Amino acid sequence: PLLVNPAFRCHFVKSTAREELRLHSANNYTNEKYNVWTSRMERVRKELPRKVFIFLFFTFVSAVMTDHSVVPAPQNVTLGSINMKHVLTWSPVIVPNWNVTYSLQVEGEFEKIHWNQSWFNVSECWSIPVNWCDVTHEIAANTLYSLRVRADWGTQRSDWTTLDQPFNRITTRLTPPNLNVHTDGMHIIVKIEDLGPYFVYELFYWKKDEDTVVHNKTVSEASVPVHLETVEAKTDYCMKVQSYVKAINRRSDFSSPVCVSAPGDSALNFWAIFLGVLIAIVVLPLVTWKVSRMLQYSCFPAEMLPETLIVTRSHHRGSSGSCILQELQR
């Protein structure tokens, strides 16, 4: 009877149609979502290798930029010290198409013990382009010093390379200074090589044929020439020098002896010639005149006239006047 009822049948058909439409819509939505998800997964599958590559690339670059081992550390680090000048050297680090710089640090024994290994940057040796640096001013006491160096390449840093053995300046190698000797009249002038502010010099000199008597002079400043006054003219003298560093209480070896001949005094010869000429011009005529006078008096002595022959001046004048008057009267 229900199937026969037209009204109910119409309602049933409409309900069934709506349900089918809803199911169809649901199926379409599900299919659309599936298609969207599928397309997204396909896109991810296609883009995944590129993203993975980019991720790995940046991870590698980041590791490279922070890994010190990429820049080789300096090798063959040594410290040379001669006459209280201390220079640290090392083998250059070669990086193609890039300029490598170097930086140094120093640590004294006091800092190592009391400040728990405190390294200090050497300002004069920081980011320098050469593979050496003068560290003389950093080593200012008779104690152990450690030094280390690293290579810098852009933002990258190598590991530190430390000097094999700590350095103490008392082990510096002292060499004798050079001598420059010349003469000036009766004086011998000696110029000593200047080795630096730490040094004083002991100069020894003697006659070449009498090395048992040795004179010495202490020279505190090599920039001032030394004049040897106690020398004899036309005599050969030899000299040698030795340096001394009070800060480390050490002396160098003696330099090789240098010999020179002291000439005569040309000024003295000039005055001797001048005095000789003066004597010949002035004194000799006086002596000649004196000798001639002595010969005259000895060979032709003066005789005294008798008193009767001596006419006084007044009597001579009166006689002359009377004679003239008588002559006029005639």
Side-chain angles (χ1 to χ4, degrees):
L2 295 175
L3 297 176
V4 176
N5 188 348
F8 180 78
R9 183 177 180 182
C10 182
H11 175 72
F12 178 78
V13 170
K14 290 181 179 180
S15 298
T16 302
R18 285 196 299 268
E19 184 65 21
E20 289 179 355
L21 182 61
R22 185 182 65 79
L23 292 175
H24 180 71
S25 299
N27 289 335
N28 290 337
Y29 176 75
T30 302
N31 291 335
E32 288 178 0
K33 289 190 64 178
Y34 175 77
N35 292 334
V36 171
W37 181 84
T38 302
S39 62
R40 287 181 178 178
M41 291 301 297
E42 184 67 18
R43 189 165 57 251
V44 170
R45 185 182 65 82
K46 292 180 180 180
E47 294 180 355
L48 181 61
R50 185 172 64 88
K51 291 184 177 180
V52 170
F53 172 77
I54 294 174
F55 172 77
L56 293 177
F57 173 78
F58 282 105
T59 302
F60 173 76
V61 170
S62 177
V64 168
M65 298 297 287
T66 58
D67 188 5
H68 292 184
S69 62
V70 172
V71 180
Q75 302 296 321
N76 303 319
V77 179
T78 58
L79 192 143
S81 178
I82 301 177
N83 294 329
M84 299 295 287
K85 292 181 176 63
H86 322 300
V87 178
L88 191 72
T89 60
W90 56 90
S91 299
V93 175
I94 305 300
V95 178
N97 302 323
W98 205 274
N99 295 326
V100 176
T101 59
Y102 307 94
S103 301
L104 271 67
Q105 288 185 336
V106 63
E107 179 189 54
E109 186 177 23
F110 178 85
E111 292 81 6
K112 183 176 181 179
I113 295 175
H114 299 282
W115 292 359
N116 192 21
Q117 296 187 353
S118 297
W119 291 88
F120 295 94
N121 298 337
V122 182
S123 57
E124 295 84 0
C125 307
W126 197 259
S127 295
I128 58 176
V130 294
N131 62 316
W132 64 272
C133 190
D134 189 342
V135 294
T136 301
H137 296 295
E138 303 298 327
I139 301 176
N142 299 337
T143 185
L144 294 175
Y145 286 86
S146 296
L147 296 108
R148 64 183 186 180
V149 60
R150 79 180 184 197
D152 303 331
W153 178 43
T155 58
Q156 302 179 46
R157 307 286 183 263
S158 74
D159 294 328
W160 291 99
T161 302
T162 305
L163 189 66
D164 291 338
Q165 297 293 332
F167 172 76
N168 193 324
R169 70 178 185 177
I170 63 175
T171 62
T172 187
R173 183 164 67 91
L174 300 180
T175 61
N178 295 320
L179 288 178
N180 185 5
V181 184
H182 67 278
T183 59
D184 183 11
M186 288 290 292
H187 298 290
I188 296 178
I189 301 176
V190 182
K191 185 68 173 63
I192 303 174
E193 180 187 5
D194 191 358
L195 298 179
Y198 291 103
F199 289 81
V200 294
Y201 310 90
E202 289 289 337
L203 179 65
F204 299 86
Y205 62 101
W206 63 94
K207 290 183 180 180
K208 187 175 183 181
D209 299 329
E210 299 179 10
D211 55 359
T212 56
V213 180
V214 179
H215 306 276
N216 73 296
K217 295 189 72 170
T218 301
V219 182
S220 58
E221 293 186 8
S223 59
V224 180
V226 181
H227 292 252
L228 305 181
E229 299 87 357
T230 57
V231 296
E232 299 177 6
K234 298 181 180 180
T235 304
D236 293 337
Y237 283 87
C238 296
M239 58 214 68
K240 62 182 179 180
V241 67
Q242 181 186 52
S243 64
Y244 171 71
V245 182
K246 184 178 180 181
I248 60 176
N249 193 26
R250 285 184 53 204
R251 299 178 183 272
S252 72
D253 295 332
F254 283 103
S255 65
S256 299
V258 177
C259 298
V260 66
S261 179
D265 193 345
S266 59
L268 181 61
N269 294 335
F270 170 78
W271 285 108
I273 296 173
F274 176 78
L275 290 176
V277 174
L278 183 65
I279 291 172
I281 295 176
V282 178
V283 178
L284 187 59
L286 291 176
V287 172
T288 304
W289 177 80
K290 186 66 176 177
V291 170
S292 65
R293 294 286 294 179
M294 291 175 64
L295 291 174
Q296 181 182 359
Y297 290 140
S298 62
C299 296
F300 306 98
E303 295 292 339
M304 299 297 294
L305 294 175
E307 294 182 358
T308 56
L309 297 178
I310 298 175
V311 180
T312 61
R313 190 172 186 181
S314 61
H315 177 74
H316 177 71
R317 286 180 179 178
S319 301
S320 299
S322 61
C323 292
I324 293 172
L325 181 61
Q326 290 177 6
E327 190 68 27
L328 291 174
Q329 289 177 356
R330 288 179 184 180

